[in-house]
Tab-separated table of all heavy atoms in Angstrom:
chain	number	residue	atom	x	y	z
A	175	GLN	N	3.457	15.182	14.506
A	175	GLN	CA	4.102	14.883	15.783
A	175	GLN	C	5.558	14.420	15.566
A	175	GLN	O	6.460	14.852	16.268
A	175	GLN	CB	3.287	13.806	16.496
A	175	GLN	CG	3.655	13.654	17.941
A	175	GLN	CD	2.907	12.484	18.561
A	175	GLN	OE1	2.818	11.402	17.978
A	175	GLN	NE2	2.370	12.703	19.738
A	176	ILE	N	5.762	13.589	14.561
A	176	ILE	CA	7.129	13.121	14.267
A	176	ILE	C	8.015	14.304	13.856
A	176	ILE	O	9.149	14.437	14.316
A	176	ILE	CB	7.110	12.030	13.171
A	176	ILE	CG1	6.451	10.754	13.703
A	176	ILE	CG2	8.523	11.728	12.658
A	176	ILE	CD1	6.146	9.698	12.646
A	177	ALA	N	7.480	15.181	13.010
A	177	ALA	CA	8.247	16.351	12.546
A	177	ALA	C	8.654	17.215	13.741
A	177	ALA	O	9.799	17.688	13.829
A	177	ALA	CB	7.412	17.152	11.556
A	178	LYS	N	7.726	17.392	14.666
A	178	LYS	CA	7.985	18.207	15.859
A	178	LYS	C	9.090	17.555	16.707
A	178	LYS	O	10.028	18.220	17.138
A	178	LYS	CB	6.679	18.316	16.659
A	178	LYS	CG	6.703	19.263	17.817
A	178	LYS	CD	5.274	19.581	18.268
A	178	LYS	CE	5.248	20.236	19.624
A	178	LYS	NZ	5.120	19.296	20.745
A	179	GLU	N	8.991	16.250	16.886
A	179	GLU	CA	9.985	15.542	17.702
A	179	GLU	C	11.365	15.559	17.062
A	179	GLU	O	12.371	15.667	17.748
A	179	GLU	CB	9.529	14.095	17.919
A	179	GLU	CG	8.395	13.982	18.917
A	179	GLU	CD	7.794	12.588	18.979
A	179	GLU	OE1	8.407	11.626	18.462
A	179	GLU	OE2	6.691	12.467	19.540
A	180	ARG	N	11.399	15.435	15.744
A	180	ARG	CA	12.696	15.466	15.036
A	180	ARG	C	13.358	16.832	15.191
A	180	ARG	O	14.576	16.927	15.322
A	180	ARG	CB	12.513	15.113	13.547
A	180	ARG	CG	12.234	13.634	13.311
A	180	ARG	CD	11.786	13.370	11.901
A	180	ARG	NE	12.830	13.550	10.917
A	180	ARG	CZ	13.673	12.600	10.529
A	180	ARG	NH1	13.583	11.398	11.042
A	180	ARG	NH2	14.605	12.845	9.645
A	181	PHE	N	12.558	17.861	15.183
A	181	PHE	CA	13.071	19.220	15.375
A	181	PHE	C	13.555	19.390	16.819
A	181	PHE	O	14.674	19.854	17.065
A	181	PHE	CB	11.965	20.229	15.030
A	181	PHE	CG	12.211	21.605	15.519
A	181	PHE	CD1	13.318	22.345	15.083
A	181	PHE	CD2	11.331	22.206	16.418
A	181	PHE	CE1	13.534	23.631	15.539
A	181	PHE	CE2	11.562	23.497	16.882
A	181	PHE	CZ	12.660	24.202	16.446
A	182	GLU	N	12.729	18.971	17.775
A	182	GLU	CA	13.075	19.144	19.193
A	182	GLU	C	14.310	18.345	19.596
A	182	GLU	O	15.054	18.745	20.470
A	182	GLU	CB	11.872	18.759	20.065
A	182	GLU	CG	10.822	19.853	20.069
A	182	GLU	CD	9.486	19.439	20.690
A	182	GLU	OE1	9.346	18.264	21.110
A	182	GLU	OE2	8.589	20.282	20.717
A	183	SER	N	14.538	17.214	18.940
A	183	SER	CA	15.717	16.407	19.293
A	183	SER	C	16.958	16.857	18.515
A	183	SER	O	18.014	16.229	18.624
A	183	SER	CB	15.423	14.928	19.025
A	183	SER	OG	15.317	14.730	17.634
A	184	GLY	N	16.827	17.894	17.704
A	184	GLY	CA	17.977	18.435	16.980
A	184	GLY	C	18.272	17.749	15.657
A	184	GLY	O	19.253	18.070	14.989
A	185	LEU	N	17.433	16.777	15.269
A	185	LEU	CA	17.640	16.069	14.000
A	185	LEU	C	17.420	16.979	12.790
A	185	LEU	O	18.019	16.794	11.739
A	185	LEU	CB	16.668	14.885	13.902
A	185	LEU	CG	17.176	13.506	14.280
A	185	LEU	CD1	16.021	12.521	14.325
A	185	LEU	CD2	18.234	13.017	13.306
A	186	GLU	N	16.508	17.944	12.961
A	186	GLU	CA	16.218	18.904	11.891
A	186	GLU	C	16.343	20.314	12.461
A	186	GLU	O	16.060	20.537	13.639
A	186	GLU	CB	14.784	18.716	11.362
A	186	GLU	CG	14.406	17.322	10.928
A	186	GLU	CD	14.909	16.949	9.540
A	186	GLU	OE1	15.572	17.782	8.881
A	186	GLU	OE2	14.647	15.802	9.127
A	187	LYS	N	16.725	21.266	11.596
A	187	LYS	CA	16.880	22.654	12.055
A	187	LYS	C	15.524	23.345	12.256
A	187	LYS	O	15.410	24.343	12.951
A	187	LYS	CB	17.730	23.437	11.049
A	187	LYS	CG	19.218	23.057	11.114
A	187	LYS	CD	20.074	24.087	10.458
A	187	LYS	CE	20.793	23.716	9.206
A	187	LYS	NZ	20.668	22.478	8.538
Side-chain angles (χ1 to χ4, degrees):
Q175 194 185 45
I176 292 169
K178 188 164 165 269
E179 286 171 14
R180 287 168 70 89
F181 164 62
E182 283 169 359
S183 68
L185 262 171
E186 307 280 0
K187 287 197 247 4

